[in-house]
Amino acid sequence: MKKRQWVTLSLAVAGVLAVPVAVVGVHVTHPRDEAGYLAYLKQYGDPQSSQPLQVLPPAADLIAEGDAACDWMREQPYALWRHDREYRHSAVFDRHLRHVGDRSPSWGDALPNLFSVTAAAWTYLCPAEWELREPRNHPFAPESD
């Protein structure tokens, strides 16, 4: 009987530790990349043009605005295997833009706009946060045709 209790306890402990280990693993495999963030904004900061921006606002302002988008993302629930409309990328993005409202960034009306900053921030400054909130396919669901 002792062996059965030990096995049960071991499985319970492994189950409890699996979630924090998975979250830490996502953060390790999705590091923050400030240089990539700034390069993305320079290249794609003007959604109306395919030309790179000639001048960017101060990097500290861009990073602060991106960090604010990441902070908002951290407050959102994990999607895991939920596929409701509210967990889709476009719906999350729209909710964030409604949260921001008509507020202008600290650099005013100059490019990049908050749309570009948010997209870049979630991709480069906090990719693990988006990865943890992105809807997943159910692991035991049959393959779709």
Side-chain angles (χ1 to χ4, degrees), residues 2 11 17 32 35 41 49 54 74 125 128-129 136:
K2 292 266 188 197
L11 288 173
L17 291 178
R32 179 180 174 96
L41 289 176
S49 171
Q54 296 301 315
R74 284 183 194 95
L125 296 183
E129 299 304 330
R136 300 270 169 242

Side-chain angles (χ1 to χ4, degrees), residues 106-117:
S106 61
W107 55 88
D109 292 333
L111 292 173
N113 60 17
L114 288 180
F115 181 88
S116 299
V117 168

Side-chain angles (χ1 to χ4, degrees), residues 118-136:
T118 299
W122 292 353
T123 303
Y124 293 98
L125 296 183
C126 55
E129 299 304 330
W130 171 246
E131 181 72 21
L132 290 169
R133 285 154 183 88
E134 184 176 24
R136 300 270 169 242

Side-chain angles (χ1 to χ4, degrees), residues 14-127:
V16 168
L17 291 178
V19 172
V21 167
V23 169
V24 168
V26 168
H27 282 280
V28 168
T29 59
H30 295 77
R32 179 180 174 96
D33 181 7
E34 289 182 7
Y37 170 72
L38 295 172
Y40 178 93
L41 289 176
K42 179 133 182 95
Q43 183 65 40
Y44 304 107
D46 184 358
Q48 306 302 322
S49 171
S50 60
Q51 298 298 318
L53 294 177
Q54 296 301 315
V55 177
L56 280 176
D61 291 346
L62 289 169
I63 290 171
E65 198 66 54
D67 284 340
C70 290
D71 290 343
W72 181 88
M73 176 61 80
R74 284 183 194 95
E75 296 171 0
Q76 302 309 300
Y78 292 162
L80 301 177
W81 292 283
R82 295 178 279 193
H83 289 275
D84 301 341
R85 184 193 165 325
E86 67 202 64
Y87 294 101
R88 294 185 187 147
H89 187 268
S90 60
V92 173
F93 205 87
D94 290 343
R95 261 196 330 270
H96 178 263
L97 292 179
R98 280 194 309 272
H99 168 76
V100 171
D102 293 335
R103 177 180 66 82
S104 293
S106 61
W107 55 88
D109 292 333
L111 292 173
N113 60 17
L114 288 180
F115 181 88
S116 299
V117 168
T118 299
W122 292 353
T123 303
Y124 293 98
L125 296 183
C126 55

